[in-house]
Amino acid sequence: MSIHRKLLFTGIAVALFFGAAEALLRVAGWPGLDDTGVFEHNDVYWIQDPNLDNLAFSHRETGGSFQVSTDANGLRAPNHPEAKDPGVFRILLMGCSTTFGWGVEDAETYPARLQALAREAGYEKVEVINGGQPGYTSFQGLWFWEEVASKYEADLVVLGFVVQDARKAAYSDLSQAILTGNGSFLKSNVLYKWRLYLLLKTFQGDLVVRTKERPDGGDGGVYRVSESSYLQNLRDLRGQIEATGAKVMHFGFPLERIGYTEQHRRLLRLESESAEIPFYDPSEEIELASRSTQLYFEQDRGHPNAEGCEVIAKGMLGFLEERQLLFR
């Protein structure tokens, strides 16, 4: 038998084997949704309600409330149209509720204060877009850029994903998207439609198909975004953002105590150094300052109060000026 025939028969046998394995996994319904599992959110993609006008949001931890205004795309104030005027320098800040400004008024969020401080410093043409969305990881951030944020013609995009990525849950965001058959995710990630590929990802530890006993507390669970997925999300985001001509900067949003974000924060620093991307991380300074000054809500240590947002905004403005990332 010629070598070509042998290769042909080998190829057919391999194709039949993998085809049969794929069929068996599908017939068996693997991976199936574990009824005992609890997802962090009802869906894997979401956006804040649009066109809110000083709507009162309840801050359950403090027992109070705060007012929220959003534009037609669900982005919080300060509001600006999608298209920017000539000569405007636009900064887009992306992140989770810490960027959104959970617990503080529209004018007190660090994006709003950054715009105000920049204009006071003579950068009169600076506009800041608050692209923070409560609960977001870099997984949602990648989708959000494609669907919404890219419309705002940013000159500089600050990626502040670390707080939610480093949180642990019963399932990773990626696992939830696959297990619930999210159409938007599968449309952009065709390989994940194949059961054999999912099996490989499960063996590699990138996919969780059975609950990891969160959110009961304790040390169980998996990162909402694994270390490898975190780095890939950041790289994909940078690629898409830079393709528009905008610059990218990484921001390790500071918690009152570094704590559980330390591993992802380390990865973010190393990635920034490797890619030669500006990286602003005031965590150590904030941790020291918060020991003597109330920068975070006493009943909600994950979110800065108005004073904390002011400190963060001032620090970021100084970093942007030092790195010559601002234009008048």
Side-chain angles (χ1 to χ4, degrees):
M1 182 180 295
S2 70
I3 185 66
H4 295 295
R5 280 182 171 273
K6 289 181 180 179
L7 289 174
L8 176 63
F9 283 121
T10 299
I12 292 174
V14 169
L16 288 173
F17 172 79
F18 283 109
E22 178 73 20
L24 284 172
L25 288 172
R26 288 177 178 271
V27 169
W30 185 91
L33 187 59
D34 186 350
D35 291 336
T36 64
V38 177
F39 293 128
E40 190 75 7
H41 298 277
N42 294 329
D43 200 355
V44 292
Y45 300 127
W46 62 90
I47 298 177
Q48 189 57 249
D49 291 337
N51 300 316
L52 300 181
D53 184 13
N54 289 318
L55 181 68
F57 274 46
S58 174
H59 194 171
R60 292 185 297 274
E61 291 82 0
T62 65
S65 64
F66 56 100
Q67 309 297 117
V68 173
S69 302
T70 60
D71 68 7
N73 292 316
L75 273 63
R76 193 175 185 185
N79 296 148
H80 300 289
E82 292 178 5
K84 65 181 180 182
D85 292 333
V88 165
F89 183 82
R90 185 169 279 183
I91 304 171
L92 169 67
L93 304 167
M94 295 179 64
C96 61
S97 58
T98 52
T99 299
F100 178 82
W102 193 262
V104 299
E105 303 299 325
D106 287 336
E108 296 173 337
T109 68
Y110 93 80
R113 291 305 302 148
L114 177 61
Q115 176 175 285
L117 291 169
R119 291 181 175 180
E120 289 171 12
Y123 301 96
E124 297 177 357
K125 290 284 191 175
V126 164
E127 291 180 352
V128 176
I129 307 294
N130 185 342
Q133 293 285 315
Y136 265 33
T137 65
S138 58
F139 181 87
Q140 286 84 27
L142 186 58
W143 169 84
F144 184 68
W145 168 261
E146 296 169 351
E147 296 293 322
V148 177
S150 58
K151 300 175 182 178
Y152 285 85
E153 302 180 351
D155 298 288
L156 173 66
V157 179
V158 180
L159 300 178
F161 297 109
V162 67
V163 174
Q164 289 291 332
D165 291 71
R167 285 192 60 202
K168 288 194 172 181
Y171 296 96
S172 67
D173 289 5
L174 171 64
S175 301
Q176 179 180 348
I178 293 166
L179 291 171
T180 57
N182 183 273
S184 296
F185 173 79
L186 294 175
K187 182 179 179 181
S188 301
N189 299 271
V190 179
L191 273 176
Y192 285 99
K193 293 182 178 181
W194 296 94
R195 303 303 194 270
L196 286 175
Y197 183 73
L198 299 184
L199 189 61
L200 174 63
K201 285 293 185 181
T202 302
F203 285 141
Q204 291 176 336
D206 293 333
L207 179 64
V208 174
V209 298
R210 289 294 178 267
T211 178
K212 293 295 183 179
E213 293 106 27
R214 283 298 271 210
D216 298 341
D219 298 323
V222 293
Y223 288 128
R224 283 189 60 193
V225 177
S226 70
E227 294 99 318
S228 59
S229 294
Y230 181 57
L231 293 175
Q232 190 59 54
N233 290 342
L234 293 176
R235 291 164 186 166
D236 289 345
L237 267 167
R238 288 204 311 269
Q240 292 190 32
I241 292 166
E242 289 171 347
T244 69
K247 291 184 178 180
V248 180
M249 170 181 141
H250 288 315
F251 176 37
F253 192 95
L255 296 178
E256 185 178 34
R257 303 287 182 268
I258 294 174
Y260 73 91
T261 64
E262 191 168 359
Q263 171 64 4
H264 279 62
R265 198 175 296 277
R266 184 184 70 85
L267 292 174
L268 185 58
R269 181 180 296 279
L270 292 174
E271 176 67 13
S272 301
E273 292 173 355
S274 175
E276 298 183 340
I277 298 294
F279 175 46
Y280 177 53
D281 185 359
S283 296
E284 293 183 4
E285 293 87 346
I286 292 291
E287 181 169 345
L288 287 173
S290 66
R291 295 182 188 277
S292 57
T293 305
Q294 192 72 42
L295 298 180
Y296 292 75
F297 292 104
E298 190 169 349
Q299 300 89 352
D300 178 8
R301 299 292 187 176
H303 296 102
N305 57 24
E307 185 174 357
C309 288
E310 183 77 6
V311 171
I312 292 167
K314 285 181 178 178
M316 180 170 287
L317 177 60
F319 181 87
L320 294 174
E321 289 185 306
E322 177 187 334
R323 294 300 185 93
Q324 298 182 331
L325 293 171
L326 279 176
F327 295 94
R328 297 186 189 275

